[in-house]
Amino acid sequence: MDVYAPQVWQPHERPTLPGSPSNPDHSMPKRVAFLLVGFIVAITGGLGNALVSVNLPYLQGSLGVFTTEIQWLPAAYVMTNVSMNLLLVKFRQQYGLRLFTELFLVLYALVTVAHLFVHGLGSAIAVRAAHGMSGAALTTLGLYYTLQAFPAKHRLKGAVLGIGFSQLAIPMARLFSSNLLDFGEWRGLYFFELGMALVSLACVLALKLPPGDRIKVFEKMDFLTFGLFAPGVALLSAVLALGRTVWWLDTPWVGYALAGSIVLICAALAIEHNRARPLLNTRWLINPNIARLATSVLLIRVVQSEASGTVGFLQVLGLNNDQMLTLWWVVMAGAVAGLVVSALYISPTRIPGQLLFSLAVMALGAYMDSDATNLTRPQDLYLSQFLLGFGGALFVGPTFISGFGAVIAAPNNLVSFSVMFSITQTLGSLLGTAVTGTFQVWREKYHSSILVEHLTLLDPQVAARIQAGGARGLASLSAAATREANILAYNDVFLGITVLALLTMAGMLTHYLWTASVSQQSKSVQNAQTGMATASLNNSGSR
């Protein structure tokens, strides 16, 4: 039997694209099962990395490594996650998504088990790299399972939920990671991660996706592109993950790595630009609409990094994760609400309005945080963080759908879209953390210099504070000044994020208004030409 032979489908069953499952009718219990499996698989794809990301300080202590070394964990995940998306689409088109997913789920589980017995930074990095590879498949697999839960008329809602489930990973990780650490220290995180991988493997084996069309798509040049693109992305990920920690201009290897990444990625793109059947369609990627979409998503990932800024701000105040649990429940509620609202109201005509509204909500939330003081506590941030969680979840689904419509019209660009969306989401998260973290350090130094200028013994209040504190008075005053400088710096970060969200919203609104104006003018010209033609025909008839 030729597995690549075209199959006969009913009109409603035909797969959307080669490599995707068909769309047969399902009973209601089976639809519910598909939805549950889709949620489990999608969460597994993001939760393991989220558990590590929110607990890096603790893992640093348990592994006995430096701050610069522990940053390799999130970097390793991004390195493999972005790179595997380059081959994943063609792999599932030629061999089926199931084979790829099962292979890497098994690999992921085996490496996690090994890390439980080999305690070291090297094995931890290997687990993160394996998770990045499997996560690249699980995100798509979770989307496909979720789509099977919805009939054709509600498929857009399924797409919003399927792509949005991963947005819940970070707030979920903050909610119960402390309990996992209490249960088994660092091994508690990895036992849970192993359990999620095994549950997902059992789910995809028990409930199989409907078959789809398979075609031969791989070419030898694809692997040359991958051989250049993957190390280029790896170097760029390392720069973004560690640049702020080792500081950008103080460490020579950061510059060398950045230069190497530019050379490798540009070489890969140059090869693709001149291929007849490219893996990455550079001409499509530089299309104004696609480039605008990618830029918008990248900027929003920077805006969404406000959440990590909030954590840093509260830690400056001396709070730990247990004291923030209610705040994370509020963030989770906001994310779920945004996901539900987006799914309920999604339609092609409403996408621009949803995107603009989500940006406005996130801008408002960030602005509300920009006047924090040393008396601010988690309960003061409930509304602002709810808005940020709501806006972030509301944004991602319509963004994905607006870009995927162009892929359906030109299926050969599926790989290009997948890589673009992965880079803007995953690599964009590293970029957001790097940008906001660097800006916070820069502003802290500025505010610290201003505050220190006023800390002079000639000031009676300063002298009295030092004298009252005895031997520790000067150290206490210095710590207070550093804390205040950090608070002011975080306020600047939140205000900067507000401005960025507003500028992005203004750019999108300008584009929508311009497009609407051009469309209206085109219709007016067409109507005028039709009227002139009708009048001409009438005159001819009267003669």
PDB file of all heavy atoms in Angstrom, residues 51-72:
ATOM      1  N   LEU A  51       7.903  25.397  34.891  1.00  0.00           N
ATOM      2  CA  LEU A  51       8.295  25.026  36.255  1.00  0.00           C
ATOM      3  C   LEU A  51       9.765  25.346  36.520  1.00  0.00           C
ATOM      4  O   LEU A  51      10.133  25.798  37.608  1.00  0.00           O
ATOM      5  CB  LEU A  51       8.039  23.537  36.483  1.00  0.00           C
ATOM      6  CG  LEU A  51       6.583  23.102  36.637  1.00  0.00           C
ATOM      7  CD1 LEU A  51       6.468  21.587  36.606  1.00  0.00           C
ATOM      8  CD2 LEU A  51       5.991  23.652  37.937  1.00  0.00           C
ATOM      9  N   VAL A  52      10.599  25.114  35.519  1.00  0.00           N
ATOM     10  CA  VAL A  52      12.016  25.410  35.669  1.00  0.00           C
ATOM     11  C   VAL A  52      12.254  26.919  35.659  1.00  0.00           C
ATOM     12  O   VAL A  52      13.012  27.452  36.480  1.00  0.00           O
ATOM     13  CB  VAL A  52      12.828  24.716  34.565  1.00  0.00           C
ATOM     14  CG1 VAL A  52      14.274  25.189  34.560  1.00  0.00           C
ATOM     15  CG2 VAL A  52      12.774  23.204  34.748  1.00  0.00           C
ATOM     16  N   SER A  53      11.597  27.625  34.739  1.00  0.00           N
ATOM     17  CA  SER A  53      11.825  29.063  34.584  1.00  0.00           C
ATOM     18  C   SER A  53      11.470  29.845  35.849  1.00  0.00           C
ATOM     19  O   SER A  53      12.176  30.782  36.209  1.00  0.00           O
ATOM     20  CB  SER A  53      11.016  29.599  33.396  1.00  0.00           C
ATOM     21  OG  SER A  53      11.430  28.994  32.191  1.00  0.00           O
ATOM     22  N   VAL A  54      10.385  29.469  36.514  1.00  0.00           N
ATOM     23  CA  VAL A  54       9.965  30.234  37.701  1.00  0.00           C
ATOM     24  C   VAL A  54      10.717  29.800  38.953  1.00  0.00           C
ATOM     25  O   VAL A  54      10.540  30.419  40.011  1.00  0.00           O
ATOM     26  CB  VAL A  54       8.441  30.102  37.926  1.00  0.00           C
ATOM     27  CG1 VAL A  54       7.676  30.577  36.703  1.00  0.00           C
ATOM     28  CG2 VAL A  54       8.048  28.681  38.287  1.00  0.00           C
ATOM     29  N   ASN A  55      11.528  28.760  38.847  1.00  0.00           N
ATOM     30  CA  ASN A  55      12.266  28.286  40.023  1.00  0.00           C
ATOM     31  C   ASN A  55      13.781  28.260  39.792  1.00  0.00           C
ATOM     32  O   ASN A  55      14.495  27.492  40.442  1.00  0.00           O
ATOM     33  CB  ASN A  55      11.793  26.874  40.410  1.00  0.00           C
ATOM     34  CG  ASN A  55      10.390  26.870  40.982  1.00  0.00           C
ATOM     35  OD1 ASN A  55      10.155  27.303  42.111  1.00  0.00           O
ATOM     36  ND2 ASN A  55       9.446  26.391  40.190  1.00  0.00           N
ATOM     37  N   LEU A  56      14.264  29.098  38.894  1.00  0.00           N
ATOM     38  CA  LEU A  56      15.695  29.112  38.597  1.00  0.00           C
ATOM     39  C   LEU A  56      16.560  29.390  39.828  1.00  0.00           C
ATOM     40  O   LEU A  56      17.593  28.739  40.015  1.00  0.00           O
ATOM     41  CB  LEU A  56      15.995  30.137  37.503  1.00  0.00           C
ATOM     42  CG  LEU A  56      15.671  29.715  36.054  1.00  0.00           C
ATOM     43  CD1 LEU A  56      16.031  30.827  35.096  1.00  0.00           C
ATOM     44  CD2 LEU A  56      16.417  28.440  35.683  1.00  0.00           C
ATOM     45  N   PRO A  57      16.204  30.356  40.702  1.00  0.00           N
ATOM     46  CA  PRO A  57      17.055  30.590  41.883  1.00  0.00           C
ATOM     47  C   PRO A  57      17.197  29.361  42.774  1.00  0.00           C
ATOM     48  O   PRO A  57      18.280  29.065  43.277  1.00  0.00           O
ATOM     49  CB  PRO A  57      16.334  31.738  42.610  1.00  0.00           C
ATOM     50  CG  PRO A  57      15.571  32.440  41.539  1.00  0.00           C
ATOM     51  CD  PRO A  57      15.133  31.359  40.604  1.00  0.00           C
ATOM     52  N   TYR A  58      16.084  28.628  42.961  1.00  0.00           N
ATOM     53  CA  TYR A  58      16.156  27.435  43.805  1.00  0.00           C
ATOM     54  C   TYR A  58      16.994  26.344  43.133  1.00  0.00           C
ATOM     55  O   TYR A  58      17.817  25.685  43.785  1.00  0.00           O
ATOM     56  CB  TYR A  58      14.756  26.901  44.099  1.00  0.00           C
ATOM     57  CG  TYR A  58      14.786  25.691  45.008  1.00  0.00           C
ATOM     58  CD1 TYR A  58      14.835  25.841  46.383  1.00  0.00           C
ATOM     59  CD2 TYR A  58      14.812  24.397  44.484  1.00  0.00           C
ATOM     60  CE1 TYR A  58      14.884  24.738  47.222  1.00  0.00           C
ATOM     61  CE2 TYR A  58      14.873  23.284  45.306  1.00  0.00           C
ATOM     62  CZ  TYR A  58      14.901  23.467  46.680  1.00  0.00           C
ATOM     63  OH  TYR A  58      14.972  22.371  47.499  1.00  0.00           O
ATOM     64  N   LEU A  59      16.793  26.149  41.835  1.00  0.00           N
ATOM     65  CA  LEU A  59      17.568  25.142  41.120  1.00  0.00           C
ATOM     66  C   LEU A  59      19.050  25.495  41.107  1.00  0.00           C
ATOM     67  O   LEU A  59      19.905  24.604  41.155  1.00  0.00           O
ATOM     68  CB  LEU A  59      17.053  25.013  39.684  1.00  0.00           C
ATOM     69  CG  LEU A  59      15.678  24.363  39.535  1.00  0.00           C
ATOM     70  CD1 LEU A  59      15.204  24.449  38.098  1.00  0.00           C
ATOM     71  CD2 LEU A  59      15.711  22.907  39.989  1.00  0.00           C
ATOM     72  N   GLN A  60      19.343  26.786  41.070  1.00  0.00           N
ATOM     73  CA  GLN A  60      20.748  27.206  41.120  1.00  0.00           C
ATOM     74  C   GLN A  60      21.403  26.744  42.411  1.00  0.00           C
ATOM     75  O   GLN A  60      22.525  26.219  42.405  1.00  0.00           O
ATOM     76  CB  GLN A  60      20.826  28.731  41.021  1.00  0.00           C
ATOM     77  CG  GLN A  60      22.239  29.275  41.136  1.00  0.00           C
ATOM     78  CD  GLN A  60      22.259  30.795  41.218  1.00  0.00           C
ATOM     79  OE1 GLN A  60      21.278  31.458  40.860  1.00  0.00           O
ATOM     80  NE2 GLN A  60      23.355  31.355  41.707  1.00  0.00           N
ATOM     81  N   GLY A  61      20.692  26.900  43.525  1.00  0.00           N
ATOM     82  CA  GLY A  61      21.240  26.457  44.804  1.00  0.00           C
ATOM     83  C   GLY A  61      21.350  24.949  44.897  1.00  0.00           C
ATOM     84  O   GLY A  61      22.351  24.415  45.386  1.00  0.00           O
ATOM     85  N   SER A  62      20.323  24.235  44.405  1.00  0.00           N
ATOM     86  CA  SER A  62      20.330  22.779  44.536  1.00  0.00           C
ATOM     87  C   SER A  62      21.387  22.146  43.631  1.00  0.00           C
ATOM     88  O   SER A  62      21.969  21.116  43.967  1.00  0.00           O
ATOM     89  CB  SER A  62      18.951  22.208  44.200  1.00  0.00           C
ATOM     90  OG  SER A  62      18.617  22.467  42.851  1.00  0.00           O
ATOM     91  N   LEU A  63      21.649  22.762  42.480  1.00  0.00           N
ATOM     92  CA  LEU A  63      22.674  22.245  41.573  1.00  0.00           C
ATOM     93  C   LEU A  63      24.065  22.758  41.920  1.00  0.00           C
ATOM     94  O   LEU A  63      25.066  22.242  41.408  1.00  0.00           O
ATOM     95  CB  LEU A  63      22.347  22.630  40.124  1.00  0.00           C
ATOM     96  CG  LEU A  63      21.102  21.974  39.514  1.00  0.00           C
ATOM     97  CD1 LEU A  63      20.792  22.576  38.149  1.00  0.00           C
ATOM     98  CD2 LEU A  63      21.296  20.469  39.393  1.00  0.00           C
ATOM     99  N   GLY A  64      24.134  23.776  42.777  1.00  0.00           N
ATOM    100  CA  GLY A  64      25.423  24.320  43.186  1.00  0.00           C
ATOM    101  C   GLY A  64      26.175  25.002  42.063  1.00  0.00           C
ATOM    102  O   GLY A  64      27.382  24.800  41.908  1.00  0.00           O
ATOM    103  N   VAL A  65      25.457  25.820  41.269  1.00  0.00           N
ATOM    104  CA  VAL A  65      26.077  26.488  40.131  1.00  0.00           C
ATOM    105  C   VAL A  65      25.909  27.999  40.277  1.00  0.00           C
ATOM    106  O   VAL A  65      25.168  28.489  41.139  1.00  0.00           O
ATOM    107  CB  VAL A  65      25.464  26.015  38.796  1.00  0.00           C
ATOM    108  CG1 VAL A  65      25.726  24.534  38.598  1.00  0.00           C
ATOM    109  CG2 VAL A  65      23.966  26.309  38.756  1.00  0.00           C
ATOM    110  N   PHE A  66      26.609  28.743  39.421  1.00  0.00           N
ATOM    111  CA  PHE A  66      26.530  30.197  39.440  1.00  0.00           C
ATOM    112  C   PHE A  66      25.298  30.680  38.670  1.00  0.00           C
ATOM    113  O   PHE A  66      24.681  29.935  37.908  1.00  0.00           O
ATOM    114  CB  PHE A  66      27.792  30.821  38.836  1.00  0.00           C
ATOM    115  CG  PHE A  66      29.037  30.528  39.630  1.00  0.00           C
ATOM    116  CD1 PHE A  66      29.964  29.601  39.167  1.00  0.00           C
ATOM    117  CD2 PHE A  66      29.280  31.174  40.831  1.00  0.00           C
ATOM    118  CE1 PHE A  66      31.110  29.319  39.883  1.00  0.00           C
ATOM    119  CE2 PHE A  66      30.422  30.902  41.563  1.00  0.00           C
ATOM    120  CZ  PHE A  66      31.344  29.977  41.099  1.00  0.00           C
ATOM    121  N   THR A  67      24.987  31.965  38.866  1.00  0.00           N
ATOM    122  CA  THR A  67      23.827  32.555  38.189  1.00  0.00           C
ATOM    123  C   THR A  67      23.960  32.462  36.680  1.00  0.00           C
ATOM    124  O   THR A  67      22.983  32.195  35.962  1.00  0.00           O
ATOM    125  CB  THR A  67      23.665  34.027  38.609  1.00  0.00           C
ATOM    126  OG1 THR A  67      23.554  34.100  40.032  1.00  0.00           O
ATOM    127  CG2 THR A  67      22.433  34.643  37.983  1.00  0.00           C
ATOM    128  N   THR A  68      25.163  32.692  36.174  1.00  0.00           N
ATOM    129  CA  THR A  68      25.368  32.626  34.727  1.00  0.00           C
ATOM    130  C   THR A  68      25.171  31.205  34.196  1.00  0.00           C
ATOM    131  O   THR A  68      24.694  31.021  33.070  1.00  0.00           O
ATOM    132  CB  THR A  68      26.779  33.104  34.364  1.00  0.00           C
ATOM    133  OG1 THR A  68      27.742  32.359  35.129  1.00  0.00           O
ATOM    134  CG2 THR A  68      26.942  34.580  34.679  1.00  0.00           C
ATOM    135  N   GLU A  69      25.492  30.209  34.995  1.00  0.00           N
ATOM    136  CA  GLU A  69      25.374  28.821  34.532  1.00  0.00           C
ATOM    137  C   GLU A  69      23.916  28.356  34.499  1.00  0.00           C
ATOM    138  O   GLU A  69      23.506  27.640  33.582  1.00  0.00           O
ATOM    139  CB  GLU A  69      26.199  27.900  35.423  1.00  0.00           C
ATOM    140  CG  GLU A  69      27.707  28.155  35.341  1.00  0.00           C
ATOM    141  CD  GLU A  69      28.488  27.313  36.335  1.00  0.00           C
ATOM    142  OE1 GLU A  69      28.103  27.295  37.527  1.00  0.00           O
ATOM    143  OE2 GLU A  69      29.473  26.679  35.922  1.00  0.00           O
ATOM    144  N   ILE A  70      23.116  28.773  35.482  1.00  0.00           N
ATOM    145  CA  ILE A  70      21.727  28.304  35.542  1.00  0.00           C
ATOM    146  C   ILE A  70      20.899  28.871  34.397  1.00  0.00           C
ATOM    147  O   ILE A  70      19.879  28.294  34.006  1.00  0.00           O
ATOM    148  CB  ILE A  70      21.099  28.665  36.907  1.00  0.00           C
ATOM    149  CG1 ILE A  70      19.888  27.761  37.202  1.00  0.00           C
ATOM    150  CG2 ILE A  70      20.682  30.126  36.948  1.00  0.00           C
ATOM    151  CD1 ILE A  70      20.224  26.313  37.378  1.00  0.00           C
ATOM    152  N   GLN A  71      21.350  29.989  33.819  1.00  0.00           N
ATOM    153  CA  GLN A  71      20.602  30.582  32.702  1.00  0.00           C
ATOM    154  C   GLN A  71      20.671  29.735  31.438  1.00  0.00           C
ATOM    155  O   GLN A  71      19.932  29.985  30.475  1.00  0.00           O
ATOM    156  CB  GLN A  71      21.146  31.989  32.417  1.00  0.00           C
ATOM    157  CG  GLN A  71      20.891  33.009  33.502  1.00  0.00           C
ATOM    158  CD  GLN A  71      19.417  33.254  33.760  1.00  0.00           C
ATOM    159  OE1 GLN A  71      18.597  33.175  32.852  1.00  0.00           O
ATOM    160  NE2 GLN A  71      19.074  33.535  35.006  1.00  0.00           N
ATOM    161  N   TRP A  72      21.554  28.737  31.426  1.00  0.00           N
ATOM    162  CA  TRP A  72      21.615  27.845  30.270  1.00  0.00           C
ATOM    163  C   TRP A  72      20.375  26.950  30.177  1.00  0.00           C
ATOM    164  O   TRP A  72      20.081  26.408  29.110  1.00  0.00           O
ATOM    165  CB  TRP A  72      22.867  26.975  30.334  1.00  0.00           C
ATOM    166  CG  TRP A  72      24.107  27.697  29.928  1.00  0.00           C
ATOM    167  CD1 TRP A  72      25.092  28.173  30.739  1.00  0.00           C
ATOM    168  CD2 TRP A  72      24.500  28.047  28.595  1.00  0.00           C
ATOM    169  NE1 TRP A  72      26.065  28.800  30.004  1.00  0.00           N
ATOM    170  CE2 TRP A  72      25.739  28.741  28.683  1.00  0.00           C
ATOM    171  CE3 TRP A  72      23.929  27.859  27.339  1.00  0.00           C
ATOM    172  CZ2 TRP A  72      26.398  29.227  27.557  1.00  0.00           C
ATOM    173  CZ3 TRP A  72      24.587  28.342  26.220  1.00  0.00           C
ATOM    174  CH2 TRP A  72      25.807  29.017  26.335  1.00  0.00           C
TER     175      TRP A  72
END
